[in-house]
Amino acid sequence: MPSRVLVTGGTGTLGRQVVPRLQAAGCDVRVLSRHPHEAADGIEYVTGDLLKDEGIQAAVDGAGIIVHCAGGRKGDDEATRNLVRAASRAGAPHLVYISVIGADRIPVVSATDRAMFGYFASKLAAERVVADSGLPWTTLRAAQFHDLSLMVARQMAKLPVIPVPAGVRFQPVDTGEVAARLVELALGTPAGLVPDMGGPRVYRMADLLRGYLRARGQRRVLVPVWLPGKAARAVRAGANLAPQQAVGHRTWEDFLADRVLNEA
Ligand SMILES: NC(=O)c1ccc[n+]([C@@H]2O[C@H](COP(=O)([O-])OP(=O)(O)OC[C@H]3O[C@@H](n4cnc5c(N)ncnc54)[C@H](OP(=O)(O)O)[C@@H]3O)[C@@H](O)[C@H]2O)c1
């Protein structure tokens, strides 16, 4: 049923793809952003900051559904706690959260783990905040988005010799497909933790990079590096993958064909 939906992170890579899909489903969409935006294309913007706990109440008031896509490298637990507090004051909106595959399986124990994989611990902590919120909730764990793989590949390709974590694999998924799934979940009955969403294929990190370099016509030397720590060991064992949930359709190669081959 159409409703007013708040999208946190509606200006981000994922959120930008969630917003038009909600509108197409007949929803009134409000976006929370740290920066002021003029209302445009039927989208209402509220300025606020989840980490500074500013402007959140105005963003959640009147929203029947919250699709929580705002996130950063750290602090998602704190941001989510602030969002939940305001949402609980506003009523009982359906809170839909996007997490990451492996949040519950990658042990972040030592300072080394935290430095490289602290993101997973903060996603798990945020998941718990959502589950314990008392609000109706749905959480989807997704694999790494193609857009993020592309950003990483572009950065790494600037180096003449590229260090590549040995034994690390990814199962990248199309951001638009994740957005479509989130909208389906948001408009459905609150479902708790739903099955993971992985991309169609698992790749060694070196092969993801080689695919990018091939699409760009570039040549680089790749050098395997061994990452220390328990979290890295879990990742090498595939804790960030969900091969039994390879439900995404668009492959890395298809994505590269659209995004890289057409670049100047
Ligand atoms: N990227 C991946 O591969 C991946 C995989 C699985 C799950 N996820 C999760 O998906 C979500 C979206 O990721 P993304 O790649 O779309 O991120 P992104 O492109 O970096 O966008 C981040 C968004 O969060 C908002 N934001 C950041 N800090 C905020 C704060 N303190 N208060 C309010 N808004 C804030 C930003 O809005 P403004 O800049 O406008 O304020 C922006 O819209 C994240 O929760 C991420 O953990 C990502």
Side-chain angles (χ1 to χ4, degrees):
M1 188 193 296
S3 174
R4 170 164 297 144
V5 184
L6 169 67
V7 183
T8 74
T11 54
T13 308
L14 175 63
R16 276 199 309 271
Q17 302 223 32
V18 167
V19 167
R21 287 171 171 82
L22 285 169
Q23 289 183 303
C27 300
D28 287 335
V29 179
R30 181 186 286 163
V31 165
L32 173 71
S33 169
R34 288 166 297 180
H35 314 283
H37 299 265
E38 290 293 322
D41 302 324
I43 306 166
E44 179 194 354
Y45 289 89
V46 172
T47 307
D49 189 317
L50 290 169
L51 276 174
K52 292 184 181 160
D53 201 2
E54 289 170 0
I56 310 176
Q57 202 63 53
V60 297
D61 279 344
I65 301 170
I66 300 173
V67 185
H68 180 27
C69 297
R73 283 176 53 81
K74 47 186 176 181
D76 278 11
D77 42 352
E78 193 53 40
T80 304
R81 211 167 281 122
N82 291 335
L83 177 66
V84 160
R85 198 178 312 113
S88 304
R89 278 198 292 260
H94 177 193
L95 177 59
V96 181
Y97 183 57
I98 179 73
S99 187
V100 64
I101 294 175
D104 58 332
R105 293 193 301 240
I106 297 175
V108 179
V109 183
S110 64
T112 304
D113 295 335
R114 235 183 329 276
M116 289 185 291
F117 297 96
Y119 167 75
F120 288 85
S122 90
K123 294 304 280 185
L124 181 62
E127 282 188 14
R128 290 183 175 146
V129 171
V130 170
D132 295 342
S133 65
L135 298 170
W137 63 278
T138 303
T139 291
L140 172 67
R141 291 179 181 146
Q144 187 173 8
F145 305 155
H146 288 322
D147 293 275
L148 181 63
S149 303
L150 178 59
M151 198 178 78
V152 171
R154 277 189 177 134
Q155 287 299 325
M156 290 181 124
K158 289 180 182 160
L159 302 168
V161 176
I162 307 179
V164 183
V168 170
R169 292 165 295 159
F170 290 100
Q171 190 181 347
V173 66
D174 188 64
T175 316
E177 292 178 7
V178 176
R181 174 72 175 136
L182 271 186
V183 168
E184 178 186 34
L185 291 168
L187 300 180
T189 309
L193 182 63
V194 298
D196 292 350
M197 181 164 192
R201 291 185 198 156
V202 173
Y203 302 80
R204 290 184 301 175
M205 188 165 178
D207 291 334
L208 279 180
L209 268 170
R210 287 193 186 100
Y212 171 79
L213 293 168
R214 211 170 20 249
R216 294 279 300 163
Q218 292 177 324
R219 295 174 73 84
R220 297 286 185 272
V221 177
L222 307 189
V223 180
V225 291
W226 190 257
L227 298 183
K230 281 193 174 156
R233 190 185 313 148
V235 169
R236 279 191 295 274
N240 59 326
L241 308 174
Q244 71 291 359
Q245 281 297 128
V247 292
H249 296 286
R250 195 179 188 202
T251 63
W252 176 234
E253 291 79 8
D254 292 342
F255 173 83
L256 287 174
D258 286 347
R259 290 287 292 275
V260 177
L261 291 178
N262 296 329
E263 278 175 3

